[in-house]
Amino acid sequence: MSGTPVPDDRTIHSSDLGGGVDGSSWPRLAQSERAVLAAVGDVVRPGAGDVLWEAGDPYDLYLVVEGGIHLIDRRDDRVVFVIDEGDFVGELGMLMHQPAYLAGAAAPQSVLLRVPIASLQRLMATSSAVGDTLMRAFDARRRLLVLAGEGGIVLAGDEDDVDLDRLRAFAERNGIPHRTVLRSDLAAWGALAGSCEVPEHGACVVTGRQRVLVRPTNRELAVAFGLDLPQPPDQAHCDVLIIGAGPAGLAAAVYGASEGLAVILVDELGPGGQAGTSSRIENYLGFPHGVSGGELTRAGTLQVVKFGARIVTPRAVTSLARTPDGFRALLDDETEVSARSAVLAIGVQYRRLDVPGVAELEGRGVYHAATELEVRECVGRSVVVVGGANSAGQAALFLAARSERVHLLVRRERLEETMSSYLVHRLLEDPRITVHTRSQLVAVDGSDHVEGVTWRDENARSEQRIAATGLFVMIGAVPRTDWLRSAGVDVDERGFIVTGDAYDTSVPGLFAVGDVRAGSVKRVASAVGEGSVVISAVHAHLAGGTERNDAARPARNGR
């Protein structure tokens, strides 16, 4: 492709942004910070129009010493942005091995300082001053791309398409900048169809290089966006493999990577776990005004990336076997990962209700999380929440701010039996929430989407149906550990993993933290604590100190 397009009156210049929306997107590096980058980079003098990287390729950090860099949208081969003198190119995806959204070409008479990604990652962990400045800028730019709905990825289809909803949920969970184009928007759809061959029916994804993926799986979208493992496969080696990227797994990855361990973090869906879907967490230390699960996850993921851990999603580990050097994990695409140690932070999976209509309408009004993505379908309408624990209470309050009426169905006599008192008080005082105790879901009805919900009220000894557009099932979760039995991992009668005092399992070098561990406190704070503390035990194991944990290791078949 040609690298010769020139800026026009629509082109944005970094020098015109004045630091960006919050002052951190386009910081001016101090001379001392530039010197730190110069020590690990090299000066290049490309010719005018020379392509430095293409859309869809990985790319390095470039600081513009003289001249500039033109960022080119290959959809129409137009210069959409210019990195001016003193500014640098890059955003969060750079550190996550994700491809560039736009191509980069040199402006005339340019002198650039190029810092390879490997050197940049080492610098992020060793130089707090430069690392913090760059990380704030990368994070701010990623958030701006997400908010603006830009980033080279287009999700296209019909508004009620389940596949499109799935792709949007995956992109949002993983912080992938994207925009959505609906067939009902004739102008936008016509412009998209004019640039590439989109299908007449069904959902599709259009990449920055105009590659069209028809009804792609989550993994195909992840591969297109660079969330897969490094290639070639023989690079998939690490000191510690962490399975599960909820709060416990994220904390273990942060502490492991920050202490010099090579870390690979694998998750089936993306960072956050169940906590990542929580609308609001109000009792987590340090957040007096509360924090959403998504925001907490984003902050944790930034730390993981900052210290150089590799996040791989969506991938499931299907088997784990001992080897002379540690473990060999087989992923669901047959990729093998070798690790000197492993941490199980796989959490638990949502309980499903065996009630008519629930399975058929899942994802079309029946949800197991209450985030902005799900709630947007319920604005100004009535919804039903099923559950009596904190997650159900938080969801009801979150929904009440956007819905016409929220009905909370609880099997028990009193909310206080299973829910924090502060939530109970808020629920009972909110005029938009009606709490139905001793009530159980009976049926959900609707053709393509939830239209009504029926439950039995044991207090009134009758059934009640209301018109509703959403059913949020928040009834707890169960461990999914059957696949670990073949690896010799001991679990209790309910399937939770039995551990010793150092979070060690019945298999040497294999540890378990968070909700999947027998006896754990099912709270975000405790999961973060266990994930951070377990790294001490991992270090002891890697140093050959496994015999010190023998006394704490649980006996087989239980404690």
Side-chain angles (χ1 to χ4, degrees), residues 157-165 168 182-184 363-364 377 448-449:
D158 297 306
E159 191 165 5
D160 58 352
D161 191 316
V162 175
D163 281 327
L164 182 61
D165 288 342
R168 290 166 70 180
L182 301 176
R183 285 189 177 86
S184 58
R364 292 180 293 170
E377 304 292 334
D448 295 324
H449 199 278

Side-chain angles (χ1 to χ4, degrees), residues 427-506:
L427 290 170
L428 297 178
E429 292 174 2
D430 195 315
R432 294 158 298 183
I433 299 174
T434 302
V435 178
H436 305 268
T437 58
R438 298 186 66 204
S439 296
Q440 295 191 53
L441 188 70
V442 172
V444 185
D445 61 83
S447 52
D448 295 324
H449 199 278
V450 170
E451 297 173 5
V453 176
T454 303
W455 67 86
R456 177 165 181 79
D457 186 337
E458 294 297 342
N459 294 308
R461 297 182 181 275
S462 64
E463 290 188 359
Q464 180 176 350
R465 180 194 181 277
I466 66 165
T469 57
L471 173 68
F472 295 80
V473 182
M474 323 287 283
I475 58 171
V478 294
R480 190 173 57 184
T481 53
D482 290 345
W483 66 280
L484 290 168
R485 297 178 190 273
S486 61
V489 179
D490 282 351
V491 299
D492 67 10
E493 65 279 2
R494 295 186 298 164
F496 290 93
I497 298 173
V498 178
T499 62
D501 294 337
Y503 306 114
D504 44 333
T505 71
S506 53

Side-chain angles (χ1 to χ4, degrees), residues 198-452:
V198 292
E200 293 185 9
H201 307 285
C204 69
V205 173
V206 182
T207 71
R209 277 187 164 180
Q210 297 305 90
R211 180 187 174 199
V212 179
L213 308 175
V214 179
R215 292 190 184 91
T217 63
N218 288 353
R219 179 174 304 142
E220 288 171 335
L221 177 57
V223 170
F225 205 74
L227 295 175
D228 54 334
L229 276 167
Q231 297 296 327
D234 60 10
Q235 294 182 31
H237 297 276
C238 60
D239 295 319
V240 56
L241 170 66
I242 301 171
I243 306 172
L250 288 171
V254 169
Y255 278 82
S258 67
E259 294 178 16
L261 298 178
V263 176
I264 292 179
L265 177 62
V266 179
D267 195 274
E268 290 187 65
L269 295 175
Q274 286 193 35
T277 65
S278 178
S279 54
R280 193 170 185 81
I281 303 170
E282 293 197 70
N283 56 0
Y284 190 73
L285 185 66
F287 294 90
H289 304 296
V291 61
S292 72
E295 181 61 23
L296 192 63
T297 296
R298 188 190 68 79
T301 303
L302 284 177
Q303 290 176 288
V304 171
V305 172
K306 174 181 178 179
F307 291 113
R310 176 81 193 201
I311 300 176
V312 181
T313 179
R315 296 289 177 87
V317 176
T318 57
S319 67
L320 192 66
R322 284 281 295 170
T323 67
D325 298 322
F327 296 91
R328 182 180 67 254
L330 183 65
L331 305 189
D332 53 4
D333 65 343
E334 303 302 318
T335 297
E336 290 188 356
V337 178
S338 61
R340 298 171 62 203
S341 64
V343 175
L344 299 168
I346 54 181
V348 288
Q349 66 178 5
Y350 295 112
R351 291 182 186 272
R352 258 71 177 177
L353 281 173
D354 186 15
V355 170
V358 169
E360 293 82 356
L361 293 170
E362 189 157 327
R364 292 180 293 170
V366 175
Y367 307 110
H368 297 274
T371 68
E372 291 290 352
L373 183 63
E374 294 83 18
V375 174
R376 70 179 59 159
E377 304 292 334
C378 308
V379 174
R381 302 178 182 179
S382 293
V383 299
V384 176
V385 178
V386 180
N390 280 7
S391 59
Q394 290 161 346
L397 289 169
F398 182 64
L399 287 161
R402 295 157 175 80
S403 305
E404 179 184 47
R405 169 66 55 180
V406 177
H407 295 269
L408 177 61
L409 309 186
V410 185
R411 289 195 306 168
R412 295 176 181 265
E413 181 74 40
R414 300 174 64 250
L415 278 174
E416 291 84 353
E417 295 180 47
T418 54
M419 190 179 294
S420 297
S421 60
Y422 80 92
L423 279 174
V424 174
H425 291 309
R426 290 189 181 182
L427 290 170
L428 297 178
E429 292 174 2
D430 195 315
R432 294 158 298 183
I433 299 174
T434 302
V435 178
H436 305 268
T437 58
R438 298 186 66 204
S439 296
Q440 295 191 53
L441 188 70
V442 172
V444 185
D445 61 83
S447 52
D448 295 324
H449 199 278
V450 170
E451 297 173 5

Side-chain angles (χ1 to χ4, degrees), residues 56-297:
D57 290 342
Y59 61 116
D60 296 321
L61 182 142
Y62 285 88
L63 171 66
V64 178
V65 180
E66 296 177 15
I69 297 176
H70 296 168
L71 301 185
I72 304 167
D73 189 335
R74 288 304 190 192
R75 288 175 290 191
D76 54 9
D77 224 28
R78 184 174 69 86
V79 177
V80 296
F81 200 92
V82 174
I83 309 295
D84 290 313
E85 185 175 317
D87 289 324
F88 55 89
V89 68
E91 61 92 43
L92 191 60
M94 174 186 287
L95 298 176
M96 300 174 73
H97 306 275
Q98 294 173 1
Y101 313 133
L102 305 170
Q109 299 180 328
S110 290
V111 179
L112 311 174
L113 176 64
R114 172 182 168 273
V115 180
I117 288 299
S119 300
L120 179 64
Q121 288 183 311
R122 287 193 295 270
L123 187 64
M124 298 294 291
T126 57
S127 175
S128 59
V130 177
D132 289 347
T133 298
L134 294 178
M135 180 57 77
R136 280 194 295 270
F138 292 161
D139 177 37
R141 294 176 188 180
R142 168 58 64 96
R143 283 186 286 146
L144 289 173
L145 287 171
V146 170
L147 289 172
E150 293 296 339
I153 295 289
V154 178
L155 309 182
D158 297 306
E159 191 165 5
D160 58 352
D161 191 316
V162 175
D163 281 327
L164 182 61
D165 288 342
R166 169 181 56 80
L167 293 169
R168 290 166 70 180
F170 180 79
E172 292 191 13
R173 185 183 184 107
N174 287 275
I176 299 176
H178 65 281
R179 64 186 177 95
T180 301
V181 175
L182 301 176
R183 285 189 177 86
S184 58
D185 186 340
L186 299 181
W189 189 266
L192 182 65
S195 64
C196 58
E197 294 186 13
V198 292
E200 293 185 9
H201 307 285
C204 69
V205 173
V206 182
T207 71
R209 277 187 164 180
Q210 297 305 90
R211 180 187 174 199
V212 179
L213 308 175
V214 179
R215 292 190 184 91
T217 63
N218 288 353
R219 179 174 304 142
E220 288 171 335
L221 177 57
V223 170
F225 205 74
L227 295 175
D228 54 334
L229 276 167
Q231 297 296 327
D234 60 10
Q235 294 182 31
H237 297 276
C238 60
D239 295 319
V240 56
L241 170 66
I242 301 171
I243 306 172
L250 288 171
V254 169
Y255 278 82
S258 67
E259 294 178 16
L261 298 178
V263 176
I264 292 179
L265 177 62
V266 179
D267 195 274
E268 290 187 65
L269 295 175
Q274 286 193 35
T277 65
S278 178
S279 54
R280 193 170 185 81
I281 303 170
E282 293 197 70
N283 56 0
Y284 190 73
L285 185 66
F287 294 90
H289 304 296
V291 61
S292 72
E295 181 61 23
L296 192 63
T297 296

